[in-house]
Amino acid sequence: MDQPVKSGSGGPPGARVPGRAWLMLALATVGFAVNFWAWALLSPLAPRFKDDLGLSSFEQSLLVAVPVVVGSLGRIPVGALTDRYGGRLMFPLVSGATVVPVLYLGLAGHASFAALLVGGFFLGIGGTAFAVGVPFVNAWFPPERRGLAIGVFGAGMGGTAISALTTVRLVDATTMPAPFLITAGVLVAYAVVAALLLRDAPGRTVPAEPLVRRLAATVRLPVTWQASALYAVAFGGYVAFSVYLPTYLRTGYGLTQADAANRMAGFVLLAVAMRPVGGWLSDRLGPVRVLAGSLAVVVAGAVVQAFTPPLAPLGTVAFLSMAAALGAGSGATFALVALLTPAGRVGSVTGVVGAAGGLGGFLPPLVMGTLYGRYETYAAGLALLAVVAAAALVYTLTGVRAAVEGAGRPPAGPQRDHRAAGTTA
């Protein structure tokens, strides 16, 4: 059984975080954003591919969903490998590997649906960067600052906004390969910088057990499944909207491709901004309260949008409210992981939870595309989101609250008892 261990930053609660920790956080956040930028390259172009290649609604949904599911499942082994080898090795490795599918898609892989699926499959590598950054950042910060630190790192998911804002414009202004070549260049630059500057936290816990045994122990931890269920809704909802919102707005409201991409970018940016806020609030109020409030807002927003109100102002308010809530809820979920996970298992737990979040974003686009193809309305899909978010809200207020209290952590915030200095439960 894992025992509480000292955090990589060391020192008692309230100790000053060293400047190097903030530098490592900044480098990790940039790496997360760059890899997510690459991971999201196909989504803004999906309507164009649908028109050019004559894709059905389901094929279009599958195209944007494949990188999501591969990147999600890939987080499980990548998170476990990060526990063992550290972010100093894994960040450059993941970034360098992502260059290959990006170049393939830009130079040759956009000419057919089959080629796009192959490229999209390997593009999923970029999505695994999340499972590298969380344990890397977690080891640099003391327990009472991890909610904020991991929330700031999570803001790197704004890389999807970079893709949304630039990809279509670059293709319109130049040629199809342009955004892919630029992204590949940025990935190479980051891989070099990371290899030169990244350092793992002093005293980082390095597990000695084999990978399979560590993963088996990880799935036996209650926090793994509690956080996975919540992240599948919070981050899964964010991913689903970030990849499917351009299609939804173009089909449901008749917006142009560029306008739909810009509005998707606004959704993403608000969710990104709220993720560190969710972590910060969790450090002070406890993740249970933040999660409950976030999920309640998602329920209300999904119910309103199920009736397809006018986009201005009610539809816009509903979507932006959900964006803020999904971002804050994602940050709160990993504040929960940092609170309850033994230090030597953070990467493994992050991998499983991150996979659940990505898979939570894989299914909704397929469901939305299928339901629209059959009924020519998105109302049923949004109603399903409301039901799922309501179920997650009930679970947060019952099972998750009981787990936090049972671990000796008051639901109003992390325990400040100095006898637990530098530990995680």
Side-chain angles (χ1 to χ4, degrees):
M1 178 177 178
D2 287 291
Q3 298 297 322
V5 297
K6 290 184 179 180
S7 71
S9 58
R16 192 177 73 87
V17 177
R20 173 169 280 196
W22 296 108
L23 174 61
M24 294 301 108
L25 172 59
L27 289 171
T29 304
V30 171
F32 182 27
V34 170
N35 279 277
F36 253 44
W37 175 7
W39 195 38
L41 280 171
L42 291 181
S43 175
L45 296 172
R48 183 186 298 263
F49 289 135
K50 180 181 180 181
D51 294 341
D52 292 347
L53 302 177
L55 306 182
S56 67
S57 295
F58 178 81
E59 288 173 331
Q60 181 183 0
S61 301
L62 184 63
L63 177 63
V64 299
V66 164
V68 173
V69 70
V70 175
S72 303
L73 292 175
R75 292 174 187 177
I76 297 175
V78 167
L81 288 170
T82 303
D83 276 341
R84 179 67 182 85
Y85 297 106
R88 183 184 182 184
L89 172 65
M90 294 301 295
F91 254 127
L93 185 63
V94 167
S95 301
T98 305
V99 171
V100 177
V102 170
L103 288 176
Y104 166 77
L105 284 166
L107 298 176
H110 56 267
S112 71
F113 179 59
L116 284 167
L117 288 182
V118 171
F121 181 91
F122 291 100
L123 193 64
I125 296 170
T128 67
F130 179 74
V132 177
V134 170
F136 176 80
V137 170
N138 188 79
W140 272 104
F141 286 81
E144 72 278 6
R145 304 297 292 276
R146 287 176 183 161
L148 173 62
I150 295 175
V152 170
F153 167 75
M157 67 187 189
T160 56
I162 300 175
S163 179
L165 290 169
T166 63
T167 303
V168 173
R169 285 190 174 96
L170 285 169
V171 171
D172 287 342
T174 56
T175 59
M176 180 63 72
F180 296 92
L181 295 176
I182 291 171
T183 307
V186 175
L187 282 166
V188 170
Y190 176 76
V192 172
V193 170
L196 294 174
L197 299 181
L198 280 183
R199 296 292 184 270
D200 291 311
R204 182 180 70 88
T205 301
V206 180
E209 302 166 287
L211 175 62
V212 174
R213 185 179 299 174
R214 280 188 284 127
L215 289 175
T218 296
V219 300
R220 290 196 294 268
L221 291 173
V223 67
T224 302
W225 300 109
Q226 293 157 357
S228 291
L230 296 173
Y231 205 56
V233 178
F235 185 70
Y238 161 79
V239 170
F241 279 123
S242 67
V243 300
Y244 198 72
L245 199 54
T247 300
Y248 174 91
L249 292 174
R250 189 176 182 189
T251 305
Y253 286 95
L255 301 186
T256 65
Q257 182 179 346
D259 192 12
N262 288 339
R263 290 173 185 267
M264 183 270 256
F267 180 98
V268 167
L269 289 173
L270 180 56
V272 167
M274 287 302 297
R275 182 154 183 161
V277 173
W280 177 78
L281 288 173
S282 295
D283 284 340
R284 285 150 181 77
L285 305 176
V288 170
R289 288 184 176 180
V290 179
L291 280 162
S294 299
L295 290 167
V297 172
V298 174
V299 172
V303 168
V304 169
Q305 195 57 36
F307 292 96
T308 317
L311 197 55
L314 194 54
T316 299
V317 171
F319 273 120
L320 292 181
S321 297
M322 286 192 287
L326 292 168
S330 297
T333 302
F334 271 92
L336 181 72
V337 169
L339 192 68
L340 299 179
T341 305
R345 305 253 182 236
V346 173
S348 299
V349 171
T350 296
V352 176
V353 175
L359 291 174
F362 171 74
L363 292 175
L366 297 180
V367 172
M368 295 285 275
T370 301
L371 289 175
Y372 186 85
R374 179 179 291 268
Y375 301 112
E376 296 189 357
T377 179
Y378 291 113
L382 287 156
L384 283 174
L385 172 61
V387 170
V388 171
L393 173 59
V394 172
Y395 180 58
T396 298
L397 294 174
T398 54
V400 175
R401 178 185 291 273
V404 172
E405 293 174 348
R409 309 282 184 167
Q415 188 170 331
R416 303 295 184 191
D417 188 342
H418 285 256
R419 293 172 298 176
T423 67
T424 54

